[in-house]
Amino acid sequence: MLNEIAIIVIRGVAIGALFSIIAMSFNIVHNATRILNFAQGNIFILGGFAAYFLADNAGLPSWLAMLLLASLVIAVLVAAQGWLTLLPLRDNTTEQDSWMISTVSVSVIIAAILMLLYGPFAYSVSGPVPAFRIFGVKTPGAFILAIAAMLGWYLLLSWFLRRTFTGLAISALSQDFDAARAAGLSVRRLQLLAFGISGMIAGSAGFMVAPIISVSPDAGLRYVLNGFIAAVVGGIGNNTGALIGGPLVGVMAMLMAYKVGGAYQDLASLIVLVVILMFWPQGLFGRATARRV
Amino acid sequence: MASQHNSLAEAAGPEVSLPAGKGHFKSDGLQLRLGILLILLTGIGPSLLGNSYWEHTFQLVNIYIAVAVLQNFLFVDAGQKSFGQGAILGLGAYGLAIASGIHGLPLTVGVLAAVGAAMLGGLLFALPALRVQGFHLGFATLSAAIVFPQLLIQFDDVTRGINGISLYLPALKTPLVLGLSGLTLLVTAVPIAALLLHYGIRNARLGRRMRVAAESAEAARSLGVRPGLMRALAFMIVSAGTGICGALYVPTVGFISPQGFLVELSFTLFFVVVVGGRGQLLGPIVGIWVIYIVPNVLLVQLVEYRLLIYGFLTLAVVIVFPDGLVGTIEARRRKRFQRGGGEQGFRLAPFTEMLEKIPPRQVPAEAAPILEVRGAVKRFGQVVALDGVDLKVRPGEVHGLIGANGSGKTSLLNVISGFSRMDGGSYSFRGRDVTRQSASSIARMGLGRTFQTPRIFTDLSVWDNIQLGLDARPTPLAPEMAALAERFKEAYGEDNPGLLAHGQRRLLEVIRVVFADPGLVLFDEPAAGLSPVERAEFSRLLRLLSKRLGMAVILVEHDLDLVWDIADRITVLETGSVVASGPPQELARDPAVQHLFVGGAHA
């Protein structure tokens, strides 16, 4: 019994770490632009495909090199997506219609391209960290990588957003575009950078955890939804909230899968989302850190 | 006015009438007719040609048109971005198929089940929409669209899972008139009905109020509209209609399975609306032609690339023609034939002249106050915006509210109009304690307001912007006001409010709120940006409103000369507290506020 609980918690936290990473990749773009990139799930899956084609069964050094390469390429692609998304918006990103449509269409485009190229199959990838045993149950090494990636990105982002000039400038955008512009910041460049960083976060995470996710063209939507739920639970824009929200949603999903079967996971997510939006639309943890600049 | 006996129309006529331009502000009527023609073409065209393959294909296309028309209404008129309309359609289809196909219940029960199931789904969307908007709602509906086919497979004892349900209704396929079958007539009538419904609601009070709620929840509440109710209503109307489409889907295809209602269908319907032109009546129909008919019917070999093409088309449209195909043409047309604007674009004169003919209304000196604020406290975190403010306003009184920036004037207005809750104290309006009332119900009791940035809706004509005020009235207009409204309608019915100068937009908002017949109006810096002529007109109007119509007015204004001239009483706020209150003459002698008038002509 105790073992089962431990396994549910460990698996839940690891899966939740993925949601948390996607939530953080939402947050940086949202803070800089008020945009929520619906394509983030498929960008994450893109990282998984990169791992399959570049680093399946690779040794650690070449795996690391490919991770860096894939993250950079995806970052550039997402920055380009950001440029397209911001194109019709000029200064006003509070008007949501246009960016919702363009990010949804980019999401559909990525999924359609992957489907055309690789078919509706799930690809299995093996990573550099060997499996290990917890309470006698074999656990893929990528679970550790997922949690490490979450903590790593969290710390890196905290440092970047609070200790570097560029990071502070991006944080300033989350307060007030006009004030940031008046202070001499080039808003558009910072926003593109934020898109790029979000691509790097989601792409690198997809690459690292490819062994434990379903690397298939239609998996992106599920990750983007759960990432969104994690972001909402933690309060959109709040990375510390995401750090807690992700594992919370992950453990809940695991518990659900254990109690009533994995097929109801998406239904459970939907119910959690509706309940959270109805009763705590600001998230359980508010936007505390977004205010601390 | 010298000629009191003149009929109002004559007196007001020359003032309101403008150089007549050609063209109309909206092309809804034309779009409606074109839309019906296009639906007839895909609806009965193939049957008349006797091509049964086309007949079958286009029957389904027509159902999608109806669903897209409803989504267009939901998207723009009600402002609800739903990515889950495919699931609602599926709920309708399964409602009928399970009731009549599996359990053999009569078709009327089946159709009711279809509508009921779809409306339950709509309720699931409407509930979060009461609290959140925009991308939150987008994700909730998207997640429903993903879950729906999974549930169909999971609950296979109810839905027969991936095996699907067959239901043939041969009676619908026998020719009735002109060789057209009942099914053909139905799939032609339903999208036409959907289009007429969209047109009808849009041009009615309900549609205007939905539109306002969609574009500015604040403005809507100030006009007594409950935005949540509007959203829920829109979801229910659209779901019921989509449920009927779902019921029709079953005999049209003859077989339903989860494969027919994947998330891609919801995406496609959404893209159809965007590509055709959000908010244009004809938009979804053109969208279906471009996105669905052309790739599916004419370019069958491209079917594999379908989603890719949809995605790129939509992305390109958003970036290059953000208004969509029909919307771009409409924007050009509107630009070419637009009317209104210029110095005479909008004037108060006809209104004030009419008011001058009304005999002054005597308000008893000791009339009970219409508004009484007692010890209002409002905090924002550590900042105390209002620190125990008392305020009394009598009917027919113009009450000036002055003070430096940040002294709490706008906070007080927001508290009084119910936009923000007091942290302490209470207030009553028309003798009733309304401290805990919502903004919209306070507005319905007769409290009106304007905003620092005027809430003018550029998708509505100048007249429709005024009509929003009429829509909010609890009682019908007095005859002379009705005649004036008629004049405004003739003069501004086709005018584009986008052409009005800033000051004119302010005055337009003022006229709107006055037509709503409030007992108390809050004006938030109404004179900012007005020209000297407009300013004179406006202060004349204010005086008339209070003295002739008996309206009480709270005026927040930085122009002290203006306040001085027309206010019966003035309250001075400083860092959230009242430092002085009284008639202007008394105030000028009050040492506490002397500095405000230093150098002024009134000291």
Side-chain angles (χ1 to χ4, degrees):
Chain A
M1 184 61 206
L2 207 62
N3 287 5
E4 276 166 4
I5 291 174
I7 289 160
I8 286 172
V9 168
I10 290 169
R11 293 200 164 223
V13 168
I15 295 295
L18 307 180
F19 305 158
S20 157
I21 291 169
I22 293 173
M24 287 187 229
S25 75
F26 274 140
N27 285 344
I28 188 164
V29 171
H30 186 261
N31 285 345
T33 63
R34 307 282 185 281
I35 288 172
L36 216 82
N37 189 353
F38 274 67
Q40 214 67 268
N42 280 323
I43 291 162
F44 174 77
I45 293 298
L46 219 50
F49 270 94
Y52 177 78
F53 286 105
L54 299 175
D56 195 16
N57 286 316
L60 194 60
S62 66
W63 185 84
L64 280 173
M66 287 302 157
L67 169 64
L68 199 65
L69 176 72
S71 311
L72 285 174
V73 170
I74 293 174
V76 171
L77 287 176
V78 177
Q81 186 214 349
W83 180 75
L84 275 177
T85 308
L86 291 166
L87 208 54
L89 290 172
R90 299 209 165 73
D91 286 346
N92 178 14
T93 45
T94 45
E95 191 266 314
Q96 301 194 345
D97 286 10
S98 125
W99 63 254
M100 269 174 71
I101 298 162
S102 55
T103 59
V104 165
S105 51
V106 166
S107 177
V108 168
I109 289 170
I110 296 175
I113 290 177
L114 291 175
M115 182 72 90
L116 284 173
L117 291 178
Y118 308 119
F121 315 110
Y123 293 79
S124 67
V125 185
S126 60
V129 181
F132 55 94
R133 286 186 174 276
I134 299 179
F135 301 109
V137 175
K138 197 175 159 200
T139 311
F143 276 33
I144 296 294
L145 273 182
I147 296 171
M150 168 177 76
L151 293 173
W153 271 118
Y154 175 74
L155 294 173
L156 202 60
L157 283 169
S158 303
W159 168 80
F160 172 71
L161 292 173
R162 296 200 192 131
R163 296 275 176 270
T164 67
F165 179 77
T166 316
L168 281 170
I170 289 180
S171 307
L173 290 184
S174 71
Q175 311 273 313
D176 188 339
F177 293 133
D178 293 332
R181 189 172 291 114
L185 300 176
S186 68
V187 171
R188 192 45 51 97
R189 278 232 303 273
L190 290 167
Q191 291 177 330
L192 292 186
L193 183 67
F195 266 98
I197 292 172
S198 83
M200 190 175 270
I201 299 170
S204 67
F207 190 102
M208 290 165 78
V209 302
I212 53 166
I213 62 174
S214 138
V215 181
S216 79
D218 55 3
L221 283 178
R222 186 170 308 156
Y223 287 104
V224 81
L225 273 180
N226 283 299
F228 177 72
I229 295 170
V232 170
V233 168
I236 287 180
N238 180 346
N239 277 349
T240 310
L243 191 69
I244 304 164
L248 207 64
V249 173
V251 171
M252 223 139 59
M254 274 297 141
L255 210 60
M256 199 64 193
Y258 176 73
K259 290 275 177 207
V260 287
Y264 294 100
Q265 262 185 43
D266 287 346
L267 179 64
S269 303
L270 172 63
I271 292 169
V272 168
L273 180 59
V274 169
V275 169
I276 292 272
L277 291 182
M278 291 281 303
F279 298 103
W280 299 278
Q282 298 303 313
L284 300 181
F285 308 101
R287 293 204 43 174
T289 52
R291 292 259 143 227
R292 271 175 54 193
V293 175
Chain B
M1 289 300 288
S3 48
Q4 290 261 338
H5 54 275
N6 265 6
S7 83
L8 174 87
E10 280 169 34
E15 292 285 355
V16 220
S17 65
L18 289 160
K22 44 184 174 170
H24 296 277
F25 179 65
K26 288 189 291 189
S27 59
D28 281 1
L30 176 68
Q31 291 194 33
L32 177 72
R33 290 194 291 275
L34 281 175
I36 291 174
L37 274 179
L38 280 175
I39 293 170
L40 287 174
L41 181 68
T42 49
I44 57 176
S47 309
L48 290 180
L49 291 174
N51 184 324
S52 63
Y53 171 74
W54 292 127
E55 187 177 348
H56 185 75
T57 308
F58 278 110
Q59 279 173 347
L60 186 58
V61 167
N62 267 22
I63 292 175
Y64 287 151
I65 288 179
V67 179
V69 165
L70 292 168
Q71 170 143 17
N72 189 29
F73 163 69
L74 183 67
F75 190 160
V76 177
D77 294 60
Q80 303 305 297
K81 281 99 201 151
S82 165
F83 292 113
Q85 292 312 105
I88 303 287
L89 179 72
L91 278 168
Y94 267 91
L96 175 78
I98 291 172
S100 300
I102 296 182
H103 298 291
L105 296 169
L107 276 180
T108 42
V109 178
V111 172
L112 283 179
V115 173
M119 287 179 79
L120 272 180
L123 195 64
L124 182 75
F125 292 175
L127 282 179
L130 293 177
R131 293 298 298 273
V132 295
Q133 286 286 284
F135 58 76
H136 288 99
L137 188 64
F139 270 106
T141 51
L142 176 61
S143 121
I146 294 172
V147 170
F148 179 65
Q150 297 175 2
L151 288 183
L152 291 179
I153 294 171
Q154 280 311 308
F155 291 97
D156 54 359
D157 43 345
V158 182
T159 64
R160 296 200 180 149
I162 48 170
N163 296 324
I165 306 168
S166 312
L167 178 64
Y168 291 101
L169 299 171
L172 276 178
K173 305 241 171 173
T174 51
L176 285 179
V177 278
L178 298 169
L180 301 174
S181 68
L183 189 62
T184 301
L185 292 174
L186 276 175
V187 296
T188 310
V190 164
I192 291 177
L195 200 60
L196 285 170
L197 180 80
H198 189 180
Y199 180 82
I201 294 183
R202 174 177 280 189
N203 288 293
R205 177 175 183 267
L206 176 66
R208 283 190 294 272
R209 285 163 85 81
M210 267 185 189
R211 192 71 172 250
V212 173
E215 288 193 29
S216 163
E218 263 189 344
R221 285 152 70 205
S222 81
L223 290 165
V225 179
R226 274 177 292 208
L229 180 70
M230 290 294 131
R231 291 173 204 153
L233 212 56
F235 269 113
M236 290 298 104
I237 293 171
V238 168
S239 306
T242 308
I244 291 174
C245 298
L248 213 48
Y249 181 100
V250 182
T252 303
V253 181
F255 167 76
I256 61 168
S257 77
Q259 287 298 313
F261 307 101
L262 299 178
V263 65
E264 282 78 8
L265 175 64
S266 293
F267 279 144
T268 306
L269 288 166
F270 182 79
F271 289 162
V272 159
V273 171
V274 173
V275 169
R278 285 171 270 164
Q280 304 297 330
L281 279 174
L282 192 54
I285 302 167
V286 170
I288 288 268
W289 277 86
V290 172
I291 282 216
Y292 195 83
I293 298 183
V294 174
N296 279 277
V297 177
L298 302 180
L299 307 166
V300 184
Q301 67 274 29
L302 289 181
V303 158
E304 270 180 62
Y305 296 90
R306 217 164 56 187
L307 267 181
L308 190 63
I309 296 171
Y310 297 169
F312 271 116
L313 256 179
T314 309
L315 187 61
V317 162
V318 169
I319 290 166
V320 187
F321 308 107
D323 297 324
L325 299 175
V326 179
T328 304
I329 296 170
E330 168 67 4
R332 294 234 170 104
R333 187 200 64 82
R334 191 174 285 186
K335 205 160 191 170
R336 249 185 92 192
F337 297 110
Q338 67 190 353
R339 292 177 32 165
E343 262 181 57
Q344 301 289 310
F346 188 77
R347 299 198 49 212
L348 290 180
F351 199 84
T352 43
E353 278 158 22
M354 195 275 300
L355 288 183
E356 270 167 352
K357 289 183 223 152
I358 297 178
R361 194 179 295 186
Q362 291 299 326
V363 179
E366 276 317 303
I370 186 166
L371 175 81
E372 192 170 1
V373 180
R374 294 169 293 265
V377 176
K378 181 73 202 172
R379 291 184 213 96
F380 296 101
Q382 301 291 317
V383 183
V384 181
L386 298 175
D387 194 3
V389 173
D390 294 315
L391 185 74
K392 261 186 205 171
V393 181
R394 287 191 177 73
E397 170 181 312
V398 176
H399 197 111
L401 198 56
I402 59 177
N405 284 325
S407 59
K409 304 183 301 284
T410 299
S411 297
L412 185 57
L413 289 197
N414 284 339
V415 159
I416 293 173
S417 47
F419 284 156
S420 61
R421 282 273 151 84
M422 290 183 187
D423 296 311
S426 66
Y427 72 114
S428 47
F429 177 58
R430 289 192 155 154
R432 261 176 61 194
D433 188 289
V434 288
T435 316
R436 299 272 146 216
Q437 296 274 336
S438 71
S440 54
S441 58
I442 295 173
R444 279 196 300 278
M445 287 173 64
L447 188 138
R449 72 167 289 174
T450 64
F451 297 87
Q452 278 185 21
T453 338
R455 302 291 199 269
I456 299 303
F457 304 97
T458 48
D459 282 333
L460 302 177
S461 70
V462 172
W463 161 246
D464 276 341
N465 268 284
I466 297 174
Q467 208 176 357
L468 292 170
L470 288 169
D471 291 338
R473 284 181 71 89
T475 52
L477 280 171
E480 68 269 37
M481 292 279 272
L484 182 70
E486 202 51 43
R487 296 292 311 163
F488 273 118
K489 184 179 181 179
E490 276 168 33
Y492 301 123
E494 306 294 341
D495 276 14
N496 181 356
L499 299 177
L500 295 181
H502 183 72
Q504 293 169 335
R505 293 163 76 103
R506 270 190 191 292
L507 297 180
L508 176 57
E509 197 188 30
V510 167
I511 288 297
R512 168 160 79 210
V513 71
V514 169
F515 264 122
D517 193 28
L520 169 67
V521 198
L522 318 179
F523 288 117
D524 199 354
E525 299 191 14
L530 296 192
S531 71
V533 177
E534 287 167 340
R535 190 170 295 229
E537 265 184 12
F538 175 70
S539 54
R540 191 167 138 220
L541 172 74
L542 267 195
R543 219 172 276 127
L544 289 167
L545 290 180
S546 74
K547 302 301 170 268
R548 305 285 166 119
L549 295 180
M551 275 182 203
V553 170
I554 296 182
L555 178 65
V556 167
E557 184 51 61
H558 283 294
D559 180 348
L560 294 183
D561 290 330
L562 182 92
V563 178
W564 187 269
D565 278 351
I566 49 180
D568 300 307
R569 295 175 70 83
I570 295 177
T571 293
V572 185
L573 285 179
E574 221 172 88
T575 57
S577 306
V578 176
V579 290
S581 185
Q585 302 78 6
E586 236 171 70
L587 220 58
R589 290 191 295 273
D590 188 333
V593 290
Q594 203 85 112
H595 61 278
L596 282 169
F597 302 97
V598 165
H602 320 291

